[in-house]
């Protein structure tokens, strides 16, 4: 790669450096990265999230997000993902 010197001017993670030295298709999906891709919300999940929000919205003194996470049928969603999706909706 004749233009690798340009890439060296910016900070790199170890995964990116490995990819640069071994070739750009050498890094398999999910390998060497700390972040995994967040699965997109399906229309059914959005509908369930909306129903749970309206159900637990009026509860006094309770944590709405904790109640939604406890009753959300799809496991693996984080509190941050639920809050972000509610704000987006």
């Amino acid at each position: 790669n004749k233009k690798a010197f340009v890439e060296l001017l910016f900070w790199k993670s170890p995964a990116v450096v490995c990819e640069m030295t071994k070739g750009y298709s050498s890094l398999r999906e999910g390998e060497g990265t700390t972040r995994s891709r967040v699965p997109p919300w399906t229309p059914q999940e959005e509908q369930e999230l909306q129903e749970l929000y309206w159900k637990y919205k009026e509860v006094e003194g309770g944590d709405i997000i904790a109640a939604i996470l406890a009753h959300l049928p799809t496991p693996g969603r984080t509190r941050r993902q639920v809050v972000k999706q509610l704000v987006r909706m």
Side-chain angles (χ1 to χ4, degrees):
N1 187 356
K2 294 180 181 180
K3 298 185 181 180
F5 67 90
V6 175
E7 292 186 36
L8 296 175
L9 296 175
F10 303 99
W11 287 100
K12 303 288 182 216
S13 69
V16 174
V17 172
C18 178
E19 193 174 20
M20 280 176 56
T21 57
K22 294 183 180 178
Y24 286 102
S25 63
S26 66
L27 194 60
R28 291 183 192 85
E29 187 175 319
E31 183 180 310
T33 58
T34 56
R35 274 193 170 169
S36 62
R37 271 188 101 58
V38 176
W41 289 80
T42 63
Q44 293 84 12
E45 288 175 328
E46 287 181 353
Q47 181 66 30
E48 292 167 357
L49 182 63
Q50 187 176 17
E51 290 171 5
L52 287 170
Y53 173 75
W54 287 110
K55 180 178 177 181
Y56 294 109
K57 179 180 119 166
E58 301 298 324
V59 175
E60 286 290 326
D63 186 7
I64 298 170
I65 304 301
I68 290 173
L69 281 172
H71 294 93
L72 199 62
T74 307
R77 294 285 183 188
T78 64
R79 181 179 182 89
R80 184 178 187 138
Q81 290 171 348
V82 170
V83 170
K84 190 174 181 178
Q85 184 65 20
L86 283 171
V87 169
R88 189 188 70 75
M89 291 170 52

